[in-house]
C-alpha cells in the first residue's frame, strides 16, 4: 500500500487498478437509475443503489464511499423528479440507501484500520528481516559478493533461509543454510546460526571447529527454549572458506544442496562432500568428524551457494531446476548478474509459483 503525506491509499485509488473496479460503483448507480426509469412505479432500483457504496467501501477512500451513497440518492431524486412523483416508497428507498451508505462508511473505516495494521506489520517484518539477515557488502576481502533472498510468498519478508559472509584472519568465510519449518521459530534459529557463525568465524582456526560451534549453539538454544515455544533447531548448512591471496576453496557441507564453482571459461564443477553428514542441530542422533572438502578457486571463478528453493524448484511437469546443468557453458559479468539470471529463470521454470523460499550467495574472485 502506498503512502503520500502520511495518508494510506486504497487499492482502487492506486495506479494500475483495473478499470472495471474503478467504474463499478458508477455502473451500479446508472443501472439502478435506468431500471427505475424504465419500469412502472413501484419497482425500485434500491438494491443497485445500495450496492454502489458497499462496493466502494473496501476498495476506495471514505470520501469516495460517501460520494457513491450521495450519488445514489441523487439518482433516485432525479428519476422521480422526471415523473414528478414522490410518495412514501421513494422516501423509504432513500432512507434505505442512506442507511446502507452509513454501514459502508463503517466498513470502510474498519478496512482502513486493518490496512494500516497490515502495513505496520510488514514494516516491522522488513526491519526484522534486515536486522537478522543484512545484505553483505558488495566487496569483502578482495572478493566480489552478491546475495539475494527470494520469498515464495508474495510480500513475505521473513523465512528460514539464511546467509552470511565475514572477512576473518583465516580468510573470507561464509555460510548458507535452511532452517526446518517456518514462522518465528525458524527466524529464531536463523538468528542463532548467524550470531554463532559471526563469532566462531573470527575465533576458530578451521571450518570444522566453526561447524561444531554452530552445533553447540543450536543445541544450547533448543534446550533453553524447550517447553517455552517451538524452536526450529534442524538446519541444513554449507560453510565455505576462501583463504586470503590463494586459489583454494574449502567447503564443509552439513546436509545441504551442493555448491557449484563456475569457472571463467564456462566450466561448472559441483563440490560434493567426501562423506554425507547430518544437518546442524541433530548431533544427538550421532557424532562424526567434520571434514572440509578442498577445491580449486582460480581467478575469474565464481562460487555459488544456494538453498533448496533453487534446486527443488519444479516446472509444470515436475522437473527440478538443475543449476549445474543450466549454468554450464555460460559466463556472467559478475555475481549480481548471475543471481538476477537465476531468479528470473526459476520464476519462468515454476511459472511464478515457487513453493519454497530461495537464498542465493555468489562470490567471485577477480
Amino acid at each position: 500500500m502506498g503512502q503520500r503525506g502520511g495518508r494510506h491509499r486504497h487499492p482502487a485509488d492506486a495506479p494500475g487498478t483495473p478499470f472495471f473496479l474503478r467504474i463499478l460503483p458508477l455502473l451500479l448507480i446508472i443501472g439502478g437509475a435506468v431500471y427505475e426509469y424504465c419500469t412502472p412505479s413501484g419497482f425500485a432500483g434500491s438494491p443497485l443503489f445500495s450496492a454502489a457504496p458497499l462496493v466502494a467501501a473496501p476498495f476506495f477512500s471514505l470520501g469516495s464511499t460517501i460520494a457513491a451513497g450521495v450519488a445514489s440518492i441523487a439518482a433516485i431524486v432525479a428519476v422521480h423528479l422526471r415523473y414528478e412523483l414522490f410518495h412514501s416508497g421513494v422516501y423509504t428507498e432513500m432512507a434505505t440507501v442512506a442507511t446502507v451508505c452509513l454501514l459502508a462508511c463503517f466498513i470502510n473505516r474498519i478496512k482502513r484500520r486493518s490496512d494500516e495494521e497490515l502495513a505496520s506489520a510488514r514494516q516491522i517484518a522488513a526491519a526484522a528481516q534486515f536486522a537478522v539477515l543484512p545484505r553483505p557488502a558488495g566487496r569483502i576481502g578482495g572478493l566480489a559478493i552478491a546475495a539475494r533472498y527470494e520469498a515464495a510468498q508474495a510480500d513475505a519478508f521473513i523465512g528460514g533461509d539464511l546467509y552470511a559472509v565475514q572477512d576473518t584472519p583465516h580468510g573470507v568465510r561464509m555460510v548458507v543454510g535452511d532452517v526446518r519449518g517456518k514462522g518465528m521459530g525458524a527466524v529464531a534459529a536463523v538468528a542463532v546460526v548467524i550470531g554463532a557463525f559471526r563469532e566462531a568465524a573470527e575465533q576458530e582456526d578451521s571450518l570444522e571447529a566453526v561447524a561444531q560451534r554452530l552445533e553447540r549453539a543450536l543445541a544450547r538454544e533448543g534446550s533453553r527454549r524447550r517447553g517455552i515455544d517451538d524452536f526450529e533447531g534442524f538446519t541444513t548448512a554449507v560453510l565455505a572458506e576462501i583463504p586470503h591471496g590463494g586459489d583454494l576453496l574449502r567447503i564443509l557441507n552439513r546436509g545441504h544442496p551442493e555448491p557449484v564453482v563456475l569457472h571463467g571459461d564456462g566450466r561448472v564443477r559441483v563440490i560434493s562432500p567426501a562423506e554425507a553428514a547430518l544437518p546442524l542441530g541433530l548431533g544427538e542422533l550421532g557424532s562424526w568428524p567434520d571434514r572440509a572438502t578442498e577445491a580449486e578457486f582460480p581467478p575469474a571463478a565464481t562460487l555459488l551457494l544456494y538453498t533448496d528453493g533453487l534446486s527443488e524448484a519444479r516446472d509444470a511437469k515436475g522437473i527440478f531446476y538443475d543449476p549445474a546443468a543450466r549454468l554450464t557453458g555460460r559466463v556472467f559479468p559478475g555475481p549480481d548478474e548471475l543471481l538476477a539470471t537465476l531468479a528470473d529463470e526459476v520464476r519462468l521454470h515454476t511459472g511464478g509459483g515457487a513453493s519454497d523460499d530461495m537464498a542465493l550467495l555468489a562470490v567471485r574472485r577477480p
Side-chain angles (χ1 to χ4, degrees), residues 91-144:
Y91 296 111
T92 301
E93 183 180 359
M94 294 169 60
T96 299
V97 174
T99 302
V100 172
C101 184
L102 290 175
L103 176 61
C105 292
F106 178 68
I107 294 173
N108 179 273
R109 290 292 84 196
I110 294 177
K111 180 65 165 57
R112 172 66 66 88
R113 182 174 300 176
S114 175
D115 288 345
E116 291 173 348
E117 291 176 351
L118 179 59
S120 176
R122 285 176 174 169
Q123 291 173 356
I124 293 171
Q129 170 85 12
F130 297 140
V132 174
L133 198 65
R135 180 166 295 183
R139 200 161 192 84
I140 298 177
L143 302 171

Side-chain angles (χ1 to χ4, degrees), residues 4 15 18 21 29 58 61 70 99 134 137 155 204 210 224 245 280 323 345:
R4 179 174 295 178
L21 181 58
I29 295 170
S61 65
V70 171
T99 302
D155 298 325
E204 300 294 345
V210 174
R224 185 179 73 84
L280 297 169
E345 289 189 357

Side-chain angles (χ1 to χ4, degrees), residues 25-336:
L26 178 61
L27 292 177
L28 290 169
I29 295 170
I30 294 174
V34 171
Y35 178 82
E36 288 209 357
Y37 186 83
C38 297
T39 56
S41 176
F43 288 84
S46 54
L48 294 174
F49 289 129
S50 299
L54 283 177
V55 168
F59 301 111
F60 289 84
S61 65
L62 178 62
S64 298
T65 303
I66 295 174
V70 171
S72 295
I73 295 174
I76 295 173
V77 173
V79 169
H80 289 279
L81 281 176
R82 168 69 175 80
Y83 286 112
E84 298 181 354
L85 179 63
F86 277 83
H87 50 78
S88 60
V90 176
Y91 296 111
T92 301
E93 183 180 359
M94 294 169 60
T96 299
V97 174
T99 302
V100 172
C101 184
L102 290 175
L103 176 61
C105 292
F106 178 68
I107 294 173
N108 179 273
R109 290 292 84 196
I110 294 177
K111 180 65 165 57
R112 172 66 66 88
R113 182 174 300 176
S114 175
D115 288 345
E116 291 173 348
E117 291 176 351
L118 179 59
S120 176
R122 285 176 174 169
Q123 291 173 356
I124 293 171
Q129 170 85 12
F130 297 140
V132 174
L133 198 65
R135 180 166 295 183
R139 200 161 192 84
I140 298 177
L143 302 171
I145 309 290
R148 193 178 184 112
Y149 193 103
E150 294 282 333
Q153 183 178 356
D155 298 325
F157 292 101
I158 294 181
D161 291 8
L162 62 96
Y163 54 73
V165 184
Q166 190 157 327
D167 192 7
T168 75
H170 315 285
V172 177
R173 286 176 169 174
M174 60 210 78
V175 61
V176 168
D178 187 357
V179 174
R180 177 183 63 89
K182 302 293 182 183
M184 295 310 298
V187 175
V190 168
V192 169
V193 171
I194 291 180
F197 168 77
R198 294 202 179 280
E199 181 179 2
E202 289 285 341
Q203 299 175 355
E204 300 294 345
D205 293 332
S206 67
L207 282 184
E208 290 84 354
V210 174
Q212 289 304 311
R213 285 278 290 272
L214 300 186
E215 183 79 49
R216 291 194 296 271
L218 284 171
R220 182 170 58 250
E221 191 69 10
S223 298
R224 185 179 73 84
R225 289 173 176 262
R226 189 166 294 130
I228 301 176
D229 56 16
D230 184 21
F231 179 74
E232 307 287 356
F234 169 175
T235 304
T236 69
V238 61
L239 298 164
E241 176 184 281
I242 303 173
H244 295 300
D247 59 357
L248 186 66
L249 168 68
R250 296 188 182 96
I251 298 288
L252 194 151
N253 197 325
R254 295 292 294 268
H256 198 76
E258 297 171 344
V260 297
V261 174
L262 287 69
H263 292 269
D265 58 4
R267 290 182 298 116
V268 171
R269 178 185 176 187
V270 178
I271 310 299
S272 302
E275 57 182 280
L278 290 176
L280 297 169
L282 296 180
E284 60 185 14
L285 300 181
S287 60
W288 60 91
D290 282 310
R291 291 189 179 89
T293 301
E294 294 189 350
E296 181 187 8
F297 194 56
T302 302
L303 170 66
L304 173 65
L305 308 176
Y306 55 90
T307 57
D308 58 10
L310 175 67
S311 56
E312 295 185 4
R314 302 192 212 190
D315 62 11
K317 298 179 180 179
I319 299 174
F320 292 108
Y321 183 91
D322 185 348
R326 294 295 191 101
L327 296 173
T328 298
R330 302 168 68 180
V331 177
F332 299 89
D336 287 300

